[in-house]
Amino acid sequence: MSDTSTGWRLSIRDALQRTNDVTKPGIIPVEDVSAADLGDWQAALREKLWDLLGGPGARVEPCIRVVMEAEEDGYTRSLLHYETEPGVVTSAWLLAPKSSANERLPGFLALHGHGRGKDDVLGMVVDGDPNSYEHVRRLNYDYAVHLVRRGYVVLAPDARGFGERASGGCHVPGLVSLYQGRSIAGQRLWDDMRSLDLLATLPMVDPRRLGCGGLSEGGKRSLFLAALDERVQVAVVSGYFTSLRTEIARWDRLAGWDICNVVPGLLRWADLPDVAALIAPRHLTIEIGRADPLYTLEGVVTGYARMASAWHALQVADRIDLDIFDGAHQWSGRRSYQHVDSVLRPE
């Protein structure tokens, strides 16, 4: 018979908490990095992140198929299909302001989260059902339309598992991908980088003025895209930011997360604030609802203070913003639209 008086514990939570407490990251935390060493630190972490994500995909010569075009109030809407890897086709809405001027406009990648895919960020009604718009209204989800009306050329691609690419949502593709040694997060990142390629090469777009943003899974996609692709000059990460170590200590919030958030082995090397610090010295707005059920405010504030050390070290702390607004898990735009305008459409 076993003796339980020796301090043995049956709780897997306790075991994982202890691992969380004793694991030291293999790359020094961003707050301990000097301005002189920051560039080398970023290069090392980017290389490690690609390794953890399962590596980049195979490049393919860009080939775009225009499926349909429509005229909207003040802008045009086109449905595009294009390859991001050999045999892997992505679908996206392209929104372009109607203008008689020949000037090149800034480009923005509007990345969706969980839901219907790219149709959500356009606020599209499905099959004439007005109720299909209700969750868009509640989440302020149609930021792609807000951005095109502000003068941006906007590309809104479907992530793998959503919209026209629906095939089991996150869970089944995520499981199969992990068995194959490549995360769904890494595959979506690769697709988003190739979508940025497409956006940057459009004749109407100024490739020096590119941004990205999104809510929830779209916020995660925006965080990793801006961290690993330096063409992004400004990013809006909405409803996706915290210190993972803090959330693990609180534990219960993680029940609302899913497999698409997983970067295998990340905490052996870094945390989300370190990933965010890869964006420095470029521009970043993080917005989180005060009542967001997925994150503790402690995790958000603690994580932000850690990542902000990179911008402080470079003496460009005015390029980052944390907007904690009164709301839940939703897009705000209260300060983020103005931040994007100040970078990509300066007066």
Side-chain angles (χ1 to χ4, degrees), residues 4-282:
T4 60
S5 65
T6 59
W8 288 7
R9 297 179 181 178
L10 296 177
S11 170
I12 187 61
R13 171 175 178 168
D14 289 348
L16 290 171
Q17 295 284 12
R18 287 197 300 275
T19 300
N20 189 51
D21 292 340
V22 302
T23 300
K24 302 299 181 184
I27 293 177
I28 65 172
V30 62
E31 62 268 28
D32 295 333
V33 181
S34 69
D37 294 333
L38 187 61
D40 290 340
W41 178 89
Q42 290 176 320
L45 182 53
R46 285 194 184 102
E47 181 178 1
K48 175 52 65 176
L49 272 179
W50 267 125
D51 181 45
L52 298 175
L53 289 163
R59 286 188 175 271
V60 63
E61 287 296 320
C63 181
I64 304 170
R65 177 188 174 201
V66 180
V67 179
M68 60 85 69
E69 295 178 303
E71 297 291 322
E72 304 290 353
D73 182 17
Y75 64 94
T76 60
R77 173 170 54 91
S78 304
L79 178 60
L80 308 182
H81 288 172
Y82 50 96
E83 278 189 310
T84 54
E85 292 186 79
V88 178
V89 178
T90 296
S91 52
W93 288 118
L94 176 66
L95 311 182
K98 293 179 181 178
S99 173
S100 59
N102 293 322
E103 65 171 325
R104 286 194 164 193
L105 300 174
F108 198 93
L109 213 58
L111 303 177
H112 69 79
H114 292 84
R116 300 177 301 164
K118 65 184 182 301
D119 290 356
D120 280 339
V121 298
L122 271 67
M124 297 182 69
V125 173
V126 177
D127 297 328
D129 178 11
N131 293 327
S132 66
Y133 181 73
E134 176 56 28
H135 79 294
V136 172
R137 183 201 61 77
R138 186 176 66 253
L139 302 180
N140 299 320
Y141 218 158
D142 53 349
Y143 38 84
V145 174
H146 284 269
L147 286 157
V148 72
R149 294 194 187 282
R150 296 177 83 94
Y152 296 89
V153 177
V154 180
L155 189 67
D158 275 327
R160 298 192 191 201
F162 291 99
E164 294 183 77
R165 311 177 75 195
S167 54
C170 293
H171 190 69
V172 175
L175 283 177
V176 174
S177 297
L178 289 176
Y179 281 127
Q180 295 176 346
R182 192 172 174 213
S183 68
I184 193 68
Q187 293 172 67
R188 289 177 181 171
L189 170 62
W190 181 256
D191 286 350
D192 291 337
M193 294 177 80
R194 304 290 68 80
S195 294
L196 197 66
D197 288 346
L198 186 157
L199 185 63
T201 56
L202 293 175
M204 68 190 84
V205 172
D206 183 347
R208 300 165 301 176
R209 294 188 289 158
L210 300 174
C212 70
L215 169 65
S216 194
E217 168 67 5
K220 185 211 78 180
R221 293 165 64 196
S222 298
L223 175 65
F224 279 84
L225 177 62
L228 289 166
D229 196 320
E230 295 180 87
R231 292 175 296 176
V232 175
Q233 298 303 305
V234 58
V236 180
V237 175
S238 182
Y240 186 88
F241 183 76
T242 189
S243 161
L244 288 175
R245 291 185 182 276
T246 302
E247 300 299 345
I248 289 172
R250 295 294 176 268
W251 190 262
D252 293 336
R253 302 277 180 130
L254 298 176
W257 295 33
D258 65 25
I259 199 168
C260 66
N261 291 291
V262 177
V263 179
L266 177 61
L267 286 178
R268 294 174 57 194
W269 298 94
D271 198 343
L272 290 181
D274 303 295
V275 176
L278 296 178
I279 301 172
R282 291 166 289 134

